[in-house]
Amino acid sequence: MSAETPAAAGQFTRRRLQFRAWRGARPFWAGLFVALGGLPIAYFPYANLQIGHLTLAMSTTAGAGSLIIGVLLVVLGVSLWFQKHVRVFAGVAAILLALVSIPVSNLGGFLIGFLFSLVGGAMAVSWVPGEPPQAEPPLEGEGTDDAPRGAVAAADDTAFPGFQKPGAQEPGPAVPGPRGGMDDGEPSQAFTAPGAHDLSGTSPANGANGRHSAG
């Protein structure tokens, strides 16, 4: 096996894919049938059938008409390949020429050319170009990106001020620090009850005892 065999196989595959893409973008089979239908219509009126030593000429007085019909069908078939926007006109013309070939050209080339042209013309009229694939919109309830179905994307904190993320611990109420004079629940000297350190006995809380002592 030579080293050029894989390269040749790859080139053949690429050419085949290119031809498939070209064939799919136009009424290829319709043009092929119409062109094939024109060949027997143009050929049989000028052909001679040899049977042993007997030569049978199938030419008729309408030989020129058969040649014109056959050539027109071939031209219409080629036009369907390279001018696909004329497919409706070419299809209708092929059907009419196939019908005219029945009385003019030996029953439409012994019905062979008539059937090919008729089928090809019908295919050309019914052919429509395909639409390119479009991106389908997401269905209702389907998640976006990599999110599962039914999942809702988490909102940013800046979108809803005052709301915290799910799972975040909510801070408790602010506890005021120790006020002046209170340290670990014990009163300090600045807030000592009046007369607590008064030894004279004349404090208002013990006024009676003070007066009694003074007397």
Side-chain angles (χ1 to χ4, degrees):
M1 181 180 293
S2 62
E4 297 180 356
T5 302
Q11 185 177 4
F12 173 75
T13 302
R14 184 172 63 255
R15 296 295 183 184
R16 182 173 59 86
L17 294 178
Q18 291 177 355
F19 174 72
R20 179 183 296 180
W22 178 83
R23 184 188 64 188
R26 63 202 71 247
F28 175 79
W29 296 109
L32 181 62
F33 285 173
V34 171
L36 290 179
L39 296 179
I41 293 177
Y43 171 74
F44 286 129
Y46 294 93
N48 294 326
L49 183 60
Q50 189 76 23
I51 304 176
H53 297 284
L54 180 63
T55 301
L56 180 61
M58 293 183 294
S59 60
T60 59
T61 56
S66 301
L67 180 61
I68 293 175
I69 292 175
V71 171
L72 288 177
L73 287 174
V74 173
V75 172
L76 290 174
V78 176
S79 299
L80 288 173
W81 289 348
F82 299 99
Q83 300 291 333
K84 59 183 179 180
H85 58 276
V86 299
R87 60 186 182 276
V88 177
F89 167 77
V92 173
I95 293 174
L96 294 178
L97 290 175
L99 294 175
V100 173
S101 68
I102 293 178
V104 173
S105 178
N106 295 333
L107 295 176
F110 297 107
L111 297 180
I112 299 175
F114 166 74
L115 292 177
F116 272 107
S117 302
L118 189 66
V119 173
M123 292 175 64
V125 173
S126 61
W127 185 87
V128 291
E131 298 180 358
Q134 300 179 358
E136 297 182 358
L139 300 177
E140 184 178 357
E142 294 287 346
T144 57
D145 297 336
D146 296 334
R149 180 174 181 176
V152 180
D156 192 5
D157 293 343
T158 58
F160 300 96
F163 293 91
Q164 303 205 2
K165 293 183 178 180
Q169 185 177 3
E170 182 178 0
V175 180
R179 301 177 62 183
M182 300 295 293
D183 188 9
D184 297 335
E186 297 293 337
S188 63
Q189 294 181 1
F191 287 89
T192 305
H197 299 283
D198 190 3
L199 300 178
S200 63
T202 60
S203 62
N206 197 12
N209 296 330
R211 288 192 300 271
H212 179 71
S213 300

